[in-house]
Amino acid sequence: VSGELVTEPTTLVQGSLVQFGRMVVLRFNHPREAYKMKEERRKSGLPVSGRTSSGSSVLSAGLSPVLQEERERLERKRMEFERRQQDIEREFEDKVSKIREEVELEK
């Protein structure tokens, strides 16, 4: 849930991201919380829809600080995983090269 492994019952809040496996990510929608957030936006004069008049998303426009923070946290996590994957791939390539050299020497 929202990038954290859940091993016990967890209360979801509006906008929580629920991930199943590597590919399936669902955003939890709590109708009352969503309505409340929409009303708060309306009262403050901010766009109510998911898009601003320029077409950019509410997240990128900074209209939902909680979701923006979550998006940034997940983006940092994604970048960390990509760096780890690159390190593992380099390590694997090094090991394969070493094994190939050893095989060539045995010939």
Side-chain angles (χ1 to χ4, degrees):
V1 175
S2 297
E4 299 297 323
L5 180 63
V6 174
T7 58
E8 57 190 46
T10 302
T11 302
L12 300 176
V13 296
Q14 173 63 24
S16 292
L17 300 174
V18 182
Q19 182 172 351
F20 300 93
R22 294 179 135 189
M23 302 297 290
V24 179
V25 179
L26 305 174
R27 182 178 308 278
F28 175 73
N29 182 43
H30 188 289
R32 272 183 267 165
E33 287 183 31
Y35 178 79
K36 189 176 174 182
M37 291 170 70
K38 196 174 193 178
E39 287 303 305
E40 288 172 6
R41 280 195 210 114
R42 181 175 285 124
K43 288 176 185 175
S44 66
L46 297 171
V48 176
S49 70
R51 298 256 170 216
T52 63
S53 58
S54 66
S56 64
S57 74
V58 168
L59 289 177
S60 62
L63 299 180
S64 175
V66 171
L67 292 178
Q68 180 67 29
E69 184 178 314
E70 181 66 15
R71 178 176 175 236
E72 290 169 1
R73 189 183 71 74
L74 290 173
E75 180 64 17
R76 286 190 303 273
K77 198 167 199 173
R78 182 191 65 79
M79 291 171 61
E80 178 186 327
F81 283 131
E82 284 182 2
R83 280 191 297 271
R84 278 195 220 157
Q85 181 180 1
Q86 289 172 349
D87 290 344
I88 290 168
E89 288 173 355
R90 272 192 292 274
E91 186 178 322
F92 176 78
E93 290 170 5
D94 291 345
K95 287 181 180 182
V96 168
S97 293
K98 198 172 197 177
I99 290 170
R100 285 187 177 145
E101 289 173 9
E102 289 172 4
V103 168
E104 285 297 316
L105 288 174
E106 289 180 6
K107 285 184 180 181

